[in-house]
Amino acid sequence: MIKVNGLHKYFDDLHVLRGIDLEVQKGEVLSVIGASGSGKSTLLYCINGIEQIQEGSVYVDDVDVHSKATDLNKLRQRLGMVFQQWNSFPHLTALENVALAPQIVRGLTKAEAKDIAIKQLEHVGLGDKFDVYPNALSGGQQQRLAIARALAMDPQYMLFDEATSALDPELVGEVLDTMRVLAEEGMTMICVTHEMGFARDVSDRVAYFHEGVVEEIGSPDQIFVDPESEHTKKFLAKVR
Amino acid sequence: MFEYNFHWRPVFRSLPDLLEAALTTLQVASLAMTVGVLLGFILAVGRMRETGVIYWFATTWVELARNTPALFQLFFFGFGLGALGLHLSPYLIVLAGLTFNTAGYLAENFRGGFEAIPSTQLRAARSLGMNPLQAYTRILIPQVMRIVYYPMTNQFVWVVLMSSLGMLVGYRELTGETQFFASKTYRIFEYFAVTAVIYYVMVKVILVLSKVFASRFFRY
């Protein structure tokens, strides 16, 4: 379970997160929607400890992420993260991209890491691209590669930071399909997204972020059909 | 009108000596380059800190190395330190001067290389649980190497050619040796023409080897 309590985050004078309380249960898919600059991505960075926080706490399976005693490298193995810019490692083949971290971080043998990489690449539909370098892959393929790379660490949670925002429109579908498969397999996911259709179809709950607070959270129907907050209504009217 | 008579025989007679001096040139240039790469890397890291004593030390080094004549830098290690009572051998003067110069130039190349890599690469590596050392050695540095590889090749060629300044501090590398024979025989044009060819061939071989190595090493 991921548990966020009274989280405040500043970038210098900019108060980005203003008291976030959130719980994500095992197996749940939470979509986070909201305007740019509302703090959605920052929340993900605070959950896996890439960003420091100023107030409050974040717990992942009872581990205090921002405690000095926490081994973040170890914690991050439990938290797969997929970024907006897909960040494939250009000097490694698809297979090496996926196999590297299991080998050097999880300490698996080369053969074990390779087996996992093969499995995960097939999982995301890149079974014919093992020896290809990222520059020969499309954006959608590179983003699926990034998903396979995160999955190869055998994470308990997956954090998606606008995984489709940087893609050409015709490539969005293949990435969303991959995310959908993960959700169906029971992966616990937090998806920051601008894909309202995805948020509505796949999520168990949807959170609407507005100026650094969770303005409204509830089932997809509740948020998309019957929102309570005026801000939520306005936002949804704009993106529809 | 044109009354110069070429005399090539003395040059060919001393060719073994010249070739041996060419090896000396390669040796001192290679060592200066190797140490220069290591120091340049450290200076680049120092420059990327953007504040503090290490930053200022690295910046001063880079500024002096890049913005003063290489010859003056050699003179500093020769006559400059000599005036202060520290007398280096001609070999050490050349080695120190070339290394100082090379480290300064390479530091800026390396810094540029690091800055050309999107910061999101580091973030992605860390998000997979890699510690900073793993992220740098497995993800960032291999990419930087590719970016700085050809500038590094150029720098090595430059070091080989620049080592000819050794002649002016009394070092018998290829140019120093050539000068020695030229002044002994007065066949100045012939000696330097042959030496130019030797330099040309050395550089050409370096460039070809560098290309072969790159095609093996950088597969993407």
Side-chain angles (χ1 to χ4, degrees):
Chain A
M1 188 172 73
I2 294 177
K3 210 168 162 184
V4 179
N5 284 318
L7 172 60
H8 285 262
K9 165 76 191 168
Y10 295 82
F11 287 113
D12 296 326
D13 289 340
L14 193 64
H15 197 172
V16 185
L17 297 176
R18 305 164 179 253
I20 304 284
D21 295 293
L22 205 60
E23 272 187 35
V24 182
Q25 304 292 335
K26 267 267 155 78
E28 189 181 15
V29 177
L30 173 73
S31 285
V32 180
I33 61 172
S36 298
S38 58
K40 313 180 296 286
S41 300
T42 305
L43 173 69
L44 294 189
Y45 293 150
C46 291
I47 289 176
N48 88 348
I50 289 179
E51 291 289 354
Q52 310 263 320
I53 66 173
Q54 277 71 48
E55 215 179 291
S57 63
V58 179
Y59 282 87
V60 174
D61 296 336
D62 297 325
V63 175
D64 182 352
V65 176
H66 295 275
S67 154
K68 283 220 162 68
T70 301
D71 181 349
L72 277 177
N73 297 328
K74 201 154 192 188
L75 176 82
R76 286 181 184 138
Q77 297 175 39
R78 259 186 272 172
L79 293 162
M81 180 132 192
V82 176
F83 298 87
Q84 181 176 353
Q85 306 89 351
W86 36 84
N87 294 323
S88 27
F89 303 136
H91 59 302
L92 302 175
T93 63
L95 195 73
E96 291 166 341
N97 257 277
V98 182
L100 179 63
Q103 203 188 325
I104 67 173
V105 179
R106 282 172 71 190
L108 302 182
T109 66
K110 210 169 176 178
E112 288 169 333
K114 191 179 168 189
D115 284 345
I116 289 176
I118 289 172
K119 194 179 109 199
Q120 291 302 347
L121 283 171
E122 283 169 349
H123 194 183
V124 300
L126 294 174
D128 55 342
K129 303 287 185 195
F130 295 155
D131 297 322
V132 173
Y133 283 91
N135 63 6
L137 296 174
S138 72
Q141 289 169 333
Q142 291 196 50
Q143 191 59 296
R144 285 187 281 145
L145 173 61
I147 294 173
R149 194 170 66 184
L151 289 174
M153 296 304 288
D154 199 16
Q156 310 297 303
Y157 306 91
M158 285 289 285
L159 311 177
F160 289 89
D161 180 20
E162 301 192 24
T164 59
S165 296
L167 295 175
D168 292 341
E170 77 272 18
L171 301 176
V172 168
E174 63 188 71
V175 174
L176 290 181
D177 287 344
T178 306
M179 291 167 67
R180 212 169 256 139
V181 169
L182 290 185
E184 280 160 12
E185 291 168 357
M187 175 61 78
T188 311
M189 296 162 56
I190 302 180
C191 310
V192 168
T193 186
H194 289 295
E195 296 292 332
M196 297 305 149
F198 175 84
R200 193 168 173 171
D201 296 347
V202 180
S203 317
D204 298 302
R205 282 189 305 158
V206 176
Y208 171 66
F209 268 48
H210 181 71
E211 292 177 356
V213 297
V214 181
E215 177 79 13
E216 195 166 351
I217 184 165
S219 70
D221 278 348
Q222 197 180 320
I223 300 295
F224 287 104
V225 182
D226 193 18
E228 281 174 15
S229 148
E230 283 306 313
H231 290 306
T232 316
K233 284 180 196 167
K234 256 195 214 159
F235 174 76
L236 289 172
K238 263 192 256 168
V239 297
R240 251 173 208 151
Chain B
M1 206 182 98
F2 186 73
E3 295 178 6
Y4 189 84
N5 289 316
F6 289 100
H7 289 282
W8 295 100
R9 191 163 300 157
V11 189
F12 293 131
R13 224 179 291 134
S14 42
L15 203 52
D17 289 319
L18 291 181
L19 290 177
E20 210 182 313
L23 281 183
T24 305
T25 286
L26 276 182
Q27 190 264 333
V28 72
S30 303
L31 191 55
M33 183 70 187
T34 308
V35 182
V37 167
L38 294 175
L39 288 177
F41 185 78
I42 295 169
L43 291 178
V45 173
R47 291 267 287 155
M48 286 187 292
R49 297 172 79 94
E50 292 184 352
T51 176
V53 180
I54 298 169
Y55 168 77
W56 285 110
F57 176 78
T59 301
T60 307
W61 184 320
V62 168
E63 290 285 316
L64 287 175
R66 283 158 52 96
N67 300 332
T68 61
L71 177 62
F72 291 20
Q73 294 165 27
L74 255 72
F75 279 179
F76 169 78
F77 287 103
F79 308 125
L81 292 184
L84 298 174
L86 184 61
H87 297 282
L88 303 182
S89 69
Y91 170 71
L92 279 180
I93 293 169
V94 174
L95 184 63
L98 294 184
T99 303
F100 176 81
N101 184 275
T102 296
Y105 271 91
L106 287 179
E108 283 302 85
N109 279 335
F110 291 161
R111 192 170 68 93
F114 273 107
E115 280 174 3
I117 312 274
S119 62
T120 50
Q121 285 281 318
L122 179 60
R123 203 166 244 211
R126 297 300 308 276
S127 81
L128 289 167
M130 290 185 207
N131 62 38
L133 185 68
Q134 289 171 328
Y136 270 86
T137 55
R138 306 305 290 264
I139 304 302
L140 295 184
I141 291 174
Q143 294 183 55
V144 172
M145 282 309 290
R146 184 188 154 101
I147 295 173
V148 303
Y149 183 76
Y150 287 107
M152 258 169 72
T153 305
N154 285 343
Q155 183 67 31
F156 185 49
V157 168
W158 171 231
V159 173
V160 168
L161 297 180
M162 197 165 55
S163 67
S164 58
L165 294 175
M167 178 189 104
L168 297 170
V169 291
Y171 187 51
R172 294 266 289 265
E173 39 66 61
L174 181 53
T175 304
E177 192 76 352
T178 307
Q179 169 71 3
F180 172 76
F181 282 114
S183 54
K184 230 168 78 171
T185 60
Y186 296 104
R187 309 317 308 177
I188 295 168
F189 176 83
E190 290 89 332
Y191 268 101
F192 277 95
V194 168
T195 295
V197 172
I198 297 176
Y199 273 115
Y200 183 90
V201 171
M202 280 200 295
V203 168
K204 215 57 198 174
V205 168
I206 290 168
L207 290 176
V208 168
L209 285 180
S210 148
K211 261 209 177 122
V212 170
F213 186 69
S215 67
R216 296 257 162 125
F217 196 67
F218 304 118
R219 295 165 299 163
Y220 64 103

